[in-house]
CSV table of all heavy atoms in Angstrom, one decimal:
chain,number,residue,atom,x,y,z
I,112,THR,N,68.2,28.9,66.0
I,112,THR,CA,67.8,27.8,65.0
I,112,THR,C,68.0,26.5,65.6
I,112,THR,O,68.9,26.3,66.3
I,112,THR,CB,68.8,27.8,63.8
I,112,THR,OG1,68.7,29.3,63.1
I,112,THR,CG2,68.4,26.9,62.8
I,113,ILE,N,66.9,25.7,65.4
I,113,ILE,CA,67.0,24.3,65.9
I,113,ILE,C,66.7,23.3,64.8
I,113,ILE,O,65.9,23.6,63.8
I,113,ILE,CB,65.8,24.1,67.0
I,113,ILE,CG1,65.9,22.7,67.7
I,113,ILE,CG2,64.4,24.4,66.5
I,113,ILE,CD1,65.2,22.6,68.9
I,114,THR,N,67.5,22.2,64.9
I,114,THR,CA,67.2,21.1,63.8
I,114,THR,C,66.7,19.9,64.5
I,114,THR,O,67.2,19.4,65.5
I,114,THR,CB,68.5,20.8,63.1
I,114,THR,OG1,69.1,22.0,62.5
I,114,THR,CG2,68.4,19.7,62.2
I,115,THR,N,65.5,19.4,64.1
I,115,THR,CA,64.9,18.1,64.5
I,115,THR,C,64.8,17.1,63.4
I,115,THR,O,65.0,17.5,62.3
I,115,THR,CB,63.5,18.5,65.1
I,115,THR,OG1,62.6,18.6,64.0
I,115,THR,CG2,63.4,19.8,66.0
I,116,PRO,N,64.3,16.0,63.7
I,116,PRO,CA,64.1,15.0,62.5
I,116,PRO,C,63.0,15.4,61.5
I,116,PRO,O,63.1,15.1,60.4
I,116,PRO,CB,63.6,13.8,63.3
I,116,PRO,CG,64.2,13.8,64.6
I,116,PRO,CD,64.2,15.4,64.9
I,117,TYR,N,62.3,16.5,61.8
I,117,TYR,CA,61.2,17.1,61.0
I,117,TYR,C,61.7,18.2,60.1
I,117,TYR,O,61.2,18.4,59.0
I,117,TYR,CB,60.1,17.6,61.8
I,117,TYR,CG,59.0,18.1,61.1
I,117,TYR,CD1,58.2,17.5,60.1
I,117,TYR,CD2,58.6,19.5,61.3
I,117,TYR,CE1,57.1,18.0,59.4
I,117,TYR,CE2,57.4,20.0,60.7
I,117,TYR,CZ,56.8,19.3,59.7
I,117,TYR,OH,55.8,19.9,59.1
I,118,GLY,N,62.9,18.8,60.5
I,118,GLY,CA,63.4,20.0,59.7
I,118,GLY,C,64.2,20.9,60.6
I,118,GLY,O,64.4,20.7,61.7
I,119,THR,N,64.6,22.0,59.9
I,119,THR,CA,65.3,23.1,60.6
I,119,THR,C,64.6,24.3,60.7
I,119,THR,O,63.9,24.6,59.7
I,119,THR,CB,66.8,23.4,59.9
I,119,THR,OG1,67.4,22.2,59.9
I,119,THR,CG2,67.5,24.5,60.6
I,120,PHE,N,64.4,25.0,61.8
I,120,PHE,CA,63.6,26.1,62.1
I,120,PHE,C,64.2,27.3,62.8
I,120,PHE,O,65.0,27.1,63.6
I,120,PHE,CB,62.3,25.6,62.9
I,120,PHE,CG,61.7,24.4,62.4
I,120,PHE,CD1,62.0,23.1,62.7
I,120,PHE,CD2,60.6,24.4,61.5
I,120,PHE,CE1,61.4,22.0,62.3
I,120,PHE,CE2,60.0,23.4,60.9
I,120,PHE,CZ,60.3,22.1,61.3
I,121,ASP,N,63.8,28.4,62.6
I,121,ASP,CA,64.1,29.6,63.3
I,121,ASP,C,62.9,29.5,64.4
I,121,ASP,O,61.8,29.4,64.1
I,121,ASP,CB,64.0,30.9,62.5
I,121,ASP,CG,65.1,31.1,61.5
I,121,ASP,OD1,66.2,30.5,61.8
I,121,ASP,OD2,64.8,31.6,60.5
I,122,ALA,N,63.5,29.8,65.7
I,122,ALA,CA,62.4,29.5,66.8
I,122,ALA,C,62.8,30.4,68.0
I,122,ALA,O,63.9,30.8,68.2
I,122,ALA,CB,62.4,28.1,67.2
I,123,LEU,N,61.8,30.7,68.8
I,123,LEU,CA,61.8,31.2,70.1
I,123,LEU,C,61.8,30.0,71.1
I,123,LEU,O,61.1,29.0,70.8
I,123,LEU,CB,60.8,32.2,70.5
I,123,LEU,CG,60.8,33.5,69.8
I,123,LEU,CD1,59.6,34.4,70.2
I,123,LEU,CD2,62.0,34.4,70.4
I,124,ARG,N,62.4,30.1,72.2
I,124,ARG,CA,62.2,29.0,73.3
I,124,ARG,C,61.6,29.6,74.4
I,124,ARG,O,62.0,30.8,74.9
I,124,ARG,CB,63.6,28.4,73.7
I,124,ARG,CG,63.5,27.3,74.6
I,124,ARG,CD,64.8,26.6,75.0
I,124,ARG,NE,65.4,27.2,76.2
I,124,ARG,CZ,66.3,26.8,76.9
I,124,ARG,NH1,66.8,25.6,76.7
I,124,ARG,NH2,66.8,27.4,77.9
I,125,GLN,N,60.6,29.0,74.8
I,125,GLN,CA,59.9,29.3,76.2
I,125,GLN,C,60.2,28.2,77.2
I,125,GLN,O,59.9,27.1,77.0
I,125,GLN,CB,58.4,29.4,75.9
I,125,GLN,CG,57.7,29.7,77.3
I,125,GLN,CD,56.1,29.8,77.1
I,125,GLN,OE1,55.7,30.9,76.7
I,125,GLN,NE2,55.6,28.7,77.5
I,126,ARG,N,60.7,28.8,78.4
I,126,ARG,CA,61.0,27.9,79.4
I,126,ARG,C,59.8,28.2,80.5
I,126,ARG,O,59.4,29.2,80.8
I,126,ARG,CB,62.3,28.3,80.2
I,126,ARG,CG,62.5,27.6,81.5
I,126,ARG,CD,63.9,27.9,82.2
I,126,ARG,NE,63.9,27.3,83.5
I,126,ARG,CZ,64.9,26.8,84.1
I,126,ARG,NH1,66.1,26.7,83.4
I,126,ARG,NH2,64.9,26.3,85.3
I,127,SER,N,59.2,27.2,80.9
I,127,SER,CA,58.2,27.1,82.0
I,127,SER,C,58.6,26.5,83.3
I,127,SER,O,59.1,25.2,83.2
I,127,SER,CB,57.0,26.6,81.5
I,127,SER,OG,56.6,27.1,80.3
I,128,ASP,N,58.7,27.2,84.4
I,128,ASP,CA,59.0,26.7,85.6
I,128,ASP,C,57.7,26.6,86.4
I,128,ASP,O,57.0,27.6,86.7
I,128,ASP,CB,60.0,27.5,86.4
I,128,ASP,CG,61.3,27.7,85.6
I,128,ASP,OD1,61.9,26.7,85.2
I,128,ASP,OD2,61.6,28.9,85.4
I,129,ILE,N,57.4,25.3,86.9
I,129,ILE,CA,56.0,25.1,87.4
I,129,ILE,C,56.3,24.5,88.9
I,129,ILE,O,56.7,23.4,89.0
I,129,ILE,CB,55.2,24.1,86.6
I,129,ILE,CG1,55.3,24.5,85.1
I,129,ILE,CG2,53.8,24.0,87.1
I,129,ILE,CD1,54.8,23.5,84.1
I,130,ASN,N,55.8,25.2,89.8
I,130,ASN,CA,55.7,24.7,91.2
I,130,ASN,C,54.4,24.1,91.5
I,130,ASN,O,53.3,24.7,91.4
I,130,ASN,CB,55.9,25.9,92.1
I,130,ASN,CG,57.3,26.5,92.0
I,130,ASN,OD1,58.3,26.0,92.5
I,130,ASN,ND2,57.5,27.7,91.5
I,131,ILE,N,54.4,22.9,91.9
I,131,ILE,CA,53.2,22.1,91.9
I,131,ILE,C,53.0,21.6,93.4
I,131,ILE,O,53.8,21.1,93.9
I,131,ILE,CB,53.2,20.8,91.0
I,131,ILE,CG1,53.4,21.3,89.5
I,131,ILE,CG2,52.0,20.0,91.0
I,131,ILE,CD1,53.7,20.2,88.4
I,132,ILE,N,51.7,21.8,93.8
I,132,ILE,CA,51.4,21.3,95.1
I,132,ILE,C,50.3,20.3,94.9
I,132,ILE,O,49.2,20.6,94.5
I,132,ILE,CB,51.0,22.3,96.2
I,132,ILE,CG1,52.1,23.4,96.3
I,132,ILE,CG2,50.5,21.7,97.5
I,132,ILE,CD1,51.7,24.4,97.2
I,133,ASP,N,50.5,19.0,95.2
I,133,ASP,CA,49.4,17.9,95.1
I,133,ASP,C,48.9,17.6,96.6
I,133,ASP,O,49.8,17.3,97.4
I,133,ASP,CB,49.9,16.7,94.5
I,133,ASP,CG,50.0,16.9,92.9
I,133,ASP,OD1,49.1,17.6,92.4
I,133,ASP,OD2,50.8,16.2,92.4
I,134,THR,N,47.7,17.5,96.8
I,134,THR,CA,47.1,17.2,98.0
I,134,THR,C,46.2,16.1,97.8
I,134,THR,O,45.2,16.2,97.1
I,134,THR,CB,46.5,18.4,98.8
I,134,THR,OG1,47.4,19.5,98.8
I,134,THR,CG2,46.0,18.0,100.2
I,135,PHE,N,46.5,14.9,98.4
I,135,PHE,CA,45.6,13.7,98.4
I,135,PHE,C,44.9,13.5,99.8
I,135,PHE,O,45.7,13.6,100.8
I,135,PHE,CB,46.4,12.5,97.9
I,135,PHE,CG,47.0,12.6,96.6
I,135,PHE,CD1,48.4,13.0,96.4
I,135,PHE,CD2,46.3,12.3,95.4
I,135,PHE,CE1,48.9,13.1,95.2
I,135,PHE,CE2,46.9,12.4,94.2
I,135,PHE,CZ,48.1,12.8,94.1
I,136,SER,N,43.6,13.5,99.7
I,136,SER,CA,42.9,13.2,100.9
I,136,SER,C,42.1,12.0,100.8
I,136,SER,O,41.4,11.6,99.8
I,136,SER,CB,41.9,14.4,101.1
I,136,SER,OG,42.6,15.7,101.2
I,137,TYR,N,42.2,11.2,102.0
I,137,TYR,CA,41.4,9.8,102.0
I,137,TYR,C,40.9,9.7,103.4
I,137,TYR,O,41.8,9.7,104.4
I,137,TYR,CB,42.1,8.7,101.6
I,137,TYR,CG,41.5,7.3,101.8
I,137,TYR,CD1,40.5,7.1,100.8
I,137,TYR,CD2,41.8,6.5,102.7
I,137,TYR,CE1,39.8,5.9,101.0
I,137,TYR,CE2,40.9,5.4,102.8
I,137,TYR,CZ,40.1,5.2,102.0
I,137,TYR,OH,39.3,3.9,102.1
I,138,ASP,N,39.6,9.6,103.6
I,138,ASP,CA,39.1,9.6,105.0
I,138,ASP,C,39.5,10.8,105.7
I,138,ASP,O,39.3,11.9,105.4
I,138,ASP,CB,39.4,8.3,105.6
I,138,ASP,CG,38.5,7.8,106.8
I,138,ASP,OD1,37.5,8.6,107.0
I,138,ASP,OD2,38.9,6.9,107.4
I,139,ILE,N,40.2,10.6,106.8
I,139,ILE,CA,40.6,11.7,107.7
I,139,ILE,C,42.1,12.0,107.4
I,139,ILE,O,42.7,13.0,108.1
I,139,ILE,CB,40.5,11.3,109.2
I,139,ILE,CG1,41.3,10.2,109.5
I,139,ILE,CG2,39.0,11.2,109.5
I,139,ILE,CD1,41.3,9.9,111.0
I,140,PHE,N,42.8,11.4,106.5
I,140,PHE,CA,44.2,11.7,106.3
I,140,PHE,C,44.3,12.5,105.1
I,140,PHE,O,43.7,12.5,104.0
I,140,PHE,CB,44.8,10.2,106.0
I,140,PHE,CG,44.6,9.3,107.2
I,140,PHE,CD1,43.7,8.3,107.1
I,140,PHE,CD2,45.4,9.4,108.3
I,140,PHE,CE1,43.7,7.4,108.0
I,140,PHE,CE2,45.3,8.6,109.3
I,140,PHE,CZ,44.3,7.4,109.3
I,141,THR,N,45.3,13.4,105.1
I,141,THR,CA,45.7,14.3,104.0
I,141,THR,C,47.2,14.2,103.8
I,141,THR,O,48.1,14.2,104.8
I,141,THR,CB,45.4,15.7,104.4
I,141,THR,OG1,44.0,15.9,104.5
I,141,THR,CG2,45.8,16.7,103.3
I,142,PHE,N,47.6,14.1,102.5
I,142,PHE,CA,49.0,13.9,102.2
I,142,PHE,C,49.3,14.9,101.1
I,142,PHE,O,49.1,14.8,99.9
I,142,PHE,CB,49.2,12.5,101.6
I,142,PHE,CG,48.8,11.4,102.4
I,142,PHE,CD1,47.4,11.0,102.3
I,142,PHE,CD2,49.7,10.8,103.4
I,142,PHE,CE1,47.1,9.8,103.1
I,142,PHE,CE2,49.2,9.8,104.3
I,142,PHE,CZ,47.9,9.2,104.1
I,143,PRO,N,50.2,15.9,101.5
I,143,PRO,CA,50.6,17.0,100.6
I,143,PRO,C,51.9,16.7,99.9
I,143,PRO,O,52.8,16.0,100.7
I,143,PRO,CB,50.7,18.2,101.3
I,143,PRO,CG,51.0,17.7,102.8
I,143,PRO,CD,50.5,16.3,102.9
I,144,PHE,N,52.2,17.0,98.6
I,144,PHE,CA,53.4,16.7,97.9
I,144,PHE,C,53.8,18.0,97.2
I,144,PHE,O,52.9,18.6,96.5
I,144,PHE,CB,53.5,15.6,97.0
I,144,PHE,CG,53.2,14.2,97.7
I,144,PHE,CD1,51.8,13.7,98.0
I,144,PHE,CD2,54.1,13.5,98.1
I,144,PHE,CE1,51.7,12.6,98.6
I,144,PHE,CE2,53.9,12.3,99.0
I,144,PHE,CZ,52.6,11.8,99.0
I,145,THR,N,55.0,18.4,97.2
I,145,THR,CA,55.4,19.6,96.4
I,145,THR,C,56.6,19.3,95.6
I,145,THR,O,57.5,18.6,96.0
I,145,THR,CB,55.9,20.7,97.3
I,145,THR,OG1,54.6,21.0,98.3
I,145,THR,CG2,56.3,22.0,96.6
I,146,TYR,N,56.5,19.7,94.3
I,146,TYR,CA,57.7,19.4,93.4
I,146,TYR,C,57.7,20.5,92.4
I,146,TYR,O,56.8,21.2,92.2
I,146,TYR,CB,57.6,18.0,92.9
I,146,TYR,CG,56.4,17.6,92.2
I,146,TYR,CD1,56.2,17.7,90.8
I,146,TYR,CD2,55.2,17.2,92.9
I,146,TYR,CE1,55.1,17.4,90.1
I,146,TYR,CE2,54.1,16.9,92.1
I,146,TYR,CZ,54.0,17.0,90.8
I,146,TYR,OH,52.8,16.7,90.0
I,147,ILE,N,58.7,20.4,91.5
I,147,ILE,CA,59.0,21.3,90.5
I,147,ILE,C,59.1,20.7,89.1
I,147,ILE,O,59.9,19.7,89.0
I,147,ILE,CB,60.2,22.3,90.7
I,147,ILE,CG1,60.1,23.0,92.1
I,147,ILE,CG2,60.4,23.3,89.6
I,147,ILE,CD1,61.2,23.8,92.4
I,148,THR,N,58.4,21.1,88.2
I,148,THR,CA,58.6,20.8,86.8
I,148,THR,C,59.0,21.8,85.9
I,148,THR,O,58.6,22.9,86.1
I,148,THR,CB,57.2,20.1,86.3
I,148,THR,OG1,56.9,18.9,87.0
I,148,THR,CG2,57.3,19.7,84.7
I,149,HIS,N,59.9,21.5,84.9
I,149,HIS,CA,60.3,22.4,83.9
I,149,HIS,C,59.9,21.9,82.5
I,149,HIS,O,59.9,20.7,82.2
I,149,HIS,CB,61.7,22.5,83.9
I,149,HIS,CG,62.4,23.0,85.3
I,149,HIS,ND1,62.4,24.3,85.8
I,149,HIS,CD2,63.0,22.3,86.2
I,149,HIS,CE1,62.8,24.3,87.0
I,149,HIS,NE2,63.3,23.0,87.2
I,150,GLU,N,59.4,22.8,81.7
I,150,GLU,CA,59.0,22.6,80.3
I,150,GLU,C,59.8,23.6,79.4
I,150,GLU,O,59.7,24.7,79.7
I,150,GLU,CB,57.6,22.7,80.1
I,150,GLU,CG,56.6,21.7,81.0
I,150,GLU,CD,55.2,22.1,80.9
I,150,GLU,OE1,54.8,23.1,80.4
I,150,GLU,OE2,54.4,21.3,81.4
I,151,TYR,N,60.4,23.0,78.3
I,151,TYR,CA,61.2,23.9,77.4
I,151,TYR,C,60.5,23.6,76.0
I,151,TYR,O,60.5,22.5,75.6
I,151,TYR,CB,62.6,23.6,77.4
I,151,TYR,CG,63.4,23.6,78.7
I,151,TYR,CD1,63.3,22.5,79.6
I,151,TYR,CD2,64.0,24.7,79.1
I,151,TYR,CE1,64.0,22.6,80.9
I,151,TYR,CE2,64.7,24.7,80.2
I,151,TYR,CZ,64.6,23.7,81.1
I,151,TYR,OH,65.3,23.7,82.3
I,152,ARG,N,60.0,24.6,75.4
I,152,ARG,CA,59.3,24.5,74.1
I,152,ARG,C,60.0,25.4,73.2
I,152,ARG,O,60.1,26.7,73.4
I,152,ARG,CB,57.8,24.8,74.2
I,152,ARG,CG,57.0,23.8,75.1
I,152,ARG,CD,55.6,24.1,75.0
I,152,ARG,NE,54.8,23.2,75.7
I,152,ARG,CZ,54.4,23.2,77.0
I,152,ARG,NH1,54.9,24.1,77.8
I,152,ARG,NH2,53.6,22.2,77.6
I,153,TRP,N,60.2,24.9,72.0
I,153,TRP,CA,60.7,25.7,70.8
I,153,TRP,C,59.7,25.9,69.9
I,153,TRP,O,59.1,25.0,69.3
I,153,TRP,CB,61.9,25.0,70.1
I,153,TRP,CG,63.2,24.9,70.9
I,153,TRP,CD1,64.3,25.8,70.6
I,153,TRP,CD2,63.6,24.2,72.0
I,153,TRP,NE1,65.3,25.5,71.5
I,153,TRP,CE2,64.9,24.5,72.4
I,153,TRP,CE3,63.1,23.3,72.8
I,153,TRP,CZ2,65.6,24.0,73.4
I,153,TRP,CZ3,63.7,22.6,73.8
I,153,TRP,CH2,65.0,23.0,74.2
I,154,LEU,N,59.3,27.2,69.6
I,154,LEU,CA,58.2,27.6,68.8
I,154,LEU,C,58.6,28.2,67.6
I,154,LEU,O,59.3,29.2,67.6
I,154,LEU,CB,57.1,28.5,69.6
I,154,LEU,CG,56.5,27.7,70.8
I,154,LEU,CD1,57.1,28.2,72.0
I,154,LEU,CD2,55.0,28.1,70.8
I,155,ALA,N,58.2,27.7,66.3
I,155,ALA,CA,58.6,28.3,65.1
I,155,ALA,C,57.4,28.9,64.4
I,155,ALA,O,56.3,28.3,64.6
I,155,ALA,CB,59.2,27.2,64.2
I,156,PRO,N,57.6,30.0,63.8
I,156,PRO,CA,56.4,30.7,63.0
I,156,PRO,C,55.7,29.7,62.1
I,156,PRO,O,56.3,29.0,61.2
I,156,PRO,CB,57.2,31.8,62.3
I,156,PRO,CG,58.3,32.0,63.0
I,156,PRO,CD,58.8,30.7,63.5
I,157,GLY,N,54.4,29.7,62.1
I,157,GLY,CA,53.5,29.0,61.2
I,157,GLY,C,53.5,27.5,61.4
I,157,GLY,O,52.8,26.7,60.7
I,158,GLU,N,54.1,26.9,62.5
I,158,GLU,CA,54.1,25.6,62.7
I,158,GLU,C,52.9,25.1,63.6
I,158,GLU,O,52.7,23.8,63.8
I,158,GLU,CB,55.5,25.0,63.3
I,158,GLU,CG,56.6,25.1,62.4
I,158,GLU,CD,56.4,24.3,61.0
I,158,GLU,OE1,55.9,23.2,61.2
I,158,GLU,OE2,56.7,24.9,60.1
């Protein structure tokens, strides 16, 4: 159960772990970046 300013809900929580590779290229140069983002979502029936 989760309570927010909108109300109280029975919910499932989904955690998303996202491995991201960004590659920026300009002219002859290439710059790669790697990082991790996490997303947590509480989903309630009918919402």
